[in-house]
Amino acid sequence: MENQFNNLYSVILDTYPMEGKQLTKIWKFFEYLKEGRLTTTKCIKCGKVSYPPRILCPECLSEELEWIDLPTKGTVEYFTELKAGVPVGFEKPLIHAYIKLSDSFDILSKIVGIKSIDDIHRGDKVKLKVFDVPPIPAEIGRDKISIDRVYFAFELDN
Amino acid sequence: MKDACVVAGGQSKWGYRDATLIELFQEAGKACFEDNPHIKPADIDGILVASACSERLSRQTHLAPMVAEYLGIKTSSVCARVELLCGSGSSAIILAAGMIKSGLSNTIMVIGGEKLFTPQRWETFYSQLGSVDHDWDGAQGLGLPPSLLSIVFQRHAALYGTTEEQLAAISVKNRRNGLNNPKGQFRKEITLQDAMTAKPVAAPLKLYDCCPITDGAAAVILTSGEAAKDFTDKPLVKIIGTAQATESNSISNRGNWTTWNALKTAASRAYSKAGITADDVDVAQTHDCFTISEVIEYEDLGFCEKGEGGIFAEKGLSDFGGKVAVNTDGGLLSCGHPFGGTGIRQAIEIAKQLKGDANHQVEGAKYGLTHNFSGAIVAHTILIYGRD
Ligand SMILES: [Zn+2]
């Protein structure tokens, strides 16, 4: 990441979330992700499942939430490749698929691990893929620490 | 309650510009004052500035007092920036109308625009990762919407049989409408074949299905019905209905992909406030950031039946002489799309149409509508204009 900005005027946007318990209340999402689990929060009071995960139920405003697992395998319904304007930090080909993970949950996600749009088809099975992303050099009080980060996409499940 | 009337409007040249954001605002402000020489900066008591990217791309916040200073405006009623990405300009007009109708302001300049072409072209695309839910959709590389709209089109095609040729008919129409617009980004006619054979951006969407990256700004002046009579002898153009509806923000929660329920909600409320129906609209500037957007907008604004938006375009029913003329100044596809400027550009064209002053006039136009969506097609903003 650093090299991409050498000799350029100073412009940076962090592409990934604030992870780590020093920076976010939903840090468990990222800890579970490191274990290969895709999770979200469910309201203990009213049962509402929210995604992305929350600290407050948007249905009843309760803060009593529990972590639940989402499916990590699904089926490609539609897909496309962004040919123009691929953002810095994203590799080409930048392919997105609308994936049905369960009857009630679908997600528009990046597809990694394929060389060409020709390698993906409607109906293909895909599975969660977790990968490392650049850590955050954080100043917490007087300490300078490095917060490791992960993020996720999907890959073909052959 | 008072009326809120549009009494002046002007814009900078839009496109790839050799000018900074604040310079684009100066050009738009000057063009707006020149449009109505009876109004001077001293007549303005409020300013609302619409801009979505000023921090990211021009390193500037606290924009409203800055634009006021550069245009010689000293405010006493309202001075603030308004942001709703692609709906920023229309949002600012809605808020200005509310200030004027309630009597909190007398005369407001609403000015909006963006400087999107940066020295490093990648910076623009990269910065848009913050325009959707950054942590969940931006991190998937979904900041720019072509991929999202490609999937919208694939689903609309699967459900209703909408074709790429029907989309091409919209790009041909809007490019043709843009030929008359001296301030627009593109003034070149294209053929159906050009549109059909263009390179893919997010297949099946191709180059001419997508609006470009644009630098530019636009401004309008709004005042009350009584004050408007001092500024103009022309028919008064009034804001008679507004609505803004959302159903969610992140892509996973965005609801039906091919029927935009928040658009239907906004349309129903705006028509009801204006006391008209979809059939009464003579001219509309809708959010044609993509051709497929315009198709679904015909449907959910009630110009045609659900699923028939593609046929509506193909039959020329959204062209001059059709049922309702849509994007008469070329729309986003020809004019370009500097986010905060777009709703204001639409207002300028509708005001011209209702006054009978347009470059390409819809004869006898009485009611005009503007529409924007923003984010992951999750917020919809509508204004309805009428005349005396
Ligand atoms: Zn709840």
Side-chain angles (χ1 to χ4, degrees), chain B residues 32-367:
Chain B
C32 184
F33 282 120
E34 281 179 349
D35 181 54
N36 188 334
H38 301 293
I39 308 174
K40 304 292 179 208
D43 296 316
I44 309 287
D45 62 88
I47 190 164
L48 291 173
V49 178
S51 187
C53 299
S54 67
E55 285 90 357
R56 280 295 311 162
L57 301 178
S58 301
R59 292 76 167 134
Q60 186 66 57
T61 188
H62 207 248
L63 204 54
M66 185 175 180
V67 176
E69 178 190 306
Y70 275 78
L71 292 174
I73 293 168
K74 291 191 172 72
T75 67
S76 55
S77 67
V78 65
C79 180
R81 176 171 147 217
V82 179
E83 190 273 313
L84 186 78
L85 194 58
C86 311
S88 300
S90 293
S91 301
I93 297 174
I94 289 179
L95 296 174
M99 292 292 288
I100 287 164
K101 285 177 181 231
S102 67
L104 288 173
S105 291
N106 298 322
T107 304
I108 298 179
M109 174 174 276
V110 179
I111 182 164
E114 310 289 343
K115 174 66 189 176
L116 296 181
F117 280 104
T118 45
Q120 294 289 321
R121 191 73 56 88
W122 54 263
E123 190 187 343
T124 301
F125 308 125
Y126 170 68
S127 294
Q128 294 315 309
L129 296 171
S131 66
V132 286
D133 188 327
H134 170 277
D135 291 0
W136 306 94
D137 297 327
Q140 294 285 1
L142 288 162
L144 282 177
S147 305
L148 192 71
L149 271 297
S150 167
I151 288 169
V152 167
F153 169 61
Q154 293 178 57
R155 299 182 73 138
H156 201 272
L159 266 175
Y160 304 115
T162 306
T163 65
E164 293 175 47
E165 287 81 0
Q166 290 168 340
L167 300 188
I170 291 174
S171 42
V172 169
K173 166 181 76 75
N174 291 1
R175 281 300 190 98
R176 186 169 58 236
N177 291 350
L179 286 174
N180 296 308
N181 186 344
K183 298 291 181 77
Q185 184 159 359
F186 296 128
R187 295 180 69 190
K188 184 170 173 279
E189 205 155 4
I190 59 163
T191 64
L192 271 176
Q193 199 192 350
D194 293 335
M196 288 301 292
T197 55
K199 64 180 184 187
V201 171
L205 298 184
K206 298 174 279 296
L207 183 65
Y208 298 112
D209 290 310
C210 312
C211 74
I213 303 286
T214 308
D215 297 335
V220 286
I221 295 170
L222 269 61
T223 194
S224 66
E226 308 93 83
K229 290 182 188 123
D230 297 334
F231 292 136
T232 181
D233 298 328
K234 299 234 172 183
L236 294 186
V237 175
K238 299 174 181 174
I239 294 170
I240 58 171
T242 69
Q244 226 169 12
T246 64
E247 56 178 336
S248 62
N249 183 61
S250 64
I251 293 174
S252 286
N253 296 317
R254 63 159 318 284
N256 194 309
W257 285 61
T258 51
T259 296
W260 296 344
N261 287 315
L263 171 54
K264 293 183 76 163
T265 303
S268 154
R269 185 176 174 100
Y271 290 139
S272 150
K273 290 281 172 194
I276 67 166
T277 69
D279 290 338
D280 297 317
V281 177
D282 301 299
V283 53
Q285 310 303 121
T286 74
H287 205 76
D288 60 329
C289 50
F290 296 87
T291 47
I292 182 60
S293 320
E294 191 168 313
V295 167
I296 296 177
E297 287 152 9
Y298 302 149
E299 298 169 359
D300 294 344
L301 284 167
F303 298 156
C304 67
E305 293 298 316
K306 190 72 217 170
E308 294 180 3
I311 298 165
F312 194 74
E314 203 167 39
K315 286 185 173 169
L317 294 172
S318 54
D319 207 344
F320 288 89
K323 185 163 181 281
V324 50
V326 178
N327 288 321
T328 47
D329 64 351
L332 284 69
L333 288 169
S334 289
C335 300
H337 182 29
F339 313 132
T342 286
I344 299 168
R345 182 219 98 222
Q346 294 174 324
I348 293 169
E349 171 65 7
I350 292 293
K352 283 184 186 166
Q353 290 286 352
L354 298 194
K355 285 187 293 183
D357 283 347
N359 287 332
H360 192 167
Q361 182 65 40
V362 176
E363 286 313 315
K366 195 164 175 227
Y367 293 109

Side-chain angles (χ1 to χ4, degrees), chain A residues 9 13-14 51 80 83 96 151, chain B residues 123 126 134-135 140 201 203:
Chain A
Y9 68 134
L13 178 138
D14 186 5
Y51 180 87
T80 190
K83 287 282 213 181
H96 288 109
Y151 207 71
Chain B
E123 190 187 343
Y126 170 68
H134 170 277
D135 291 0
Q140 294 285 1
V201 171

Side-chain angles (χ1 to χ4, degrees), chain A residues 43-48 57-62 64-65:
Chain A
C43 178
I44 291 169
K45 278 207 165 158
C46 78
K48 164 89 179 171
C57 173
E59 199 72 26
C60 74
L61 302 186
S62 168
E64 287 179 59
L65 308 179

Side-chain angles (χ1 to χ4, degrees), chain A residues 64-128:
Chain A
E64 287 179 59
L65 308 179
E66 62 180 343
W67 288 95
I68 61 162
D69 280 277
L70 292 169
T72 55
K73 294 187 175 197
T75 309
V76 171
E77 294 212 329
Y78 300 95
F79 60 91
T80 190
E81 178 188 354
L82 187 66
K83 287 282 213 181
V86 172
V88 176
F90 289 86
E91 285 171 14
K92 294 178 187 176
L94 181 55
I95 294 168
H96 288 109
Y98 179 83
I99 301 163
K100 197 134 201 85
L101 282 179
S102 72
D103 286 342
S104 59
F105 187 72
D106 29 57
I107 192 166
L108 187 58
S109 173
K110 194 170 68 162
I111 299 292
V112 295
I114 53 175
K115 290 202 174 70
S116 153
I117 187 94
D118 299 331
D119 298 337
I120 185 168
H121 309 90
R122 287 185 187 178
D124 280 354
K125 302 290 178 201
V126 290
K127 63 177 189 218
L128 185 73

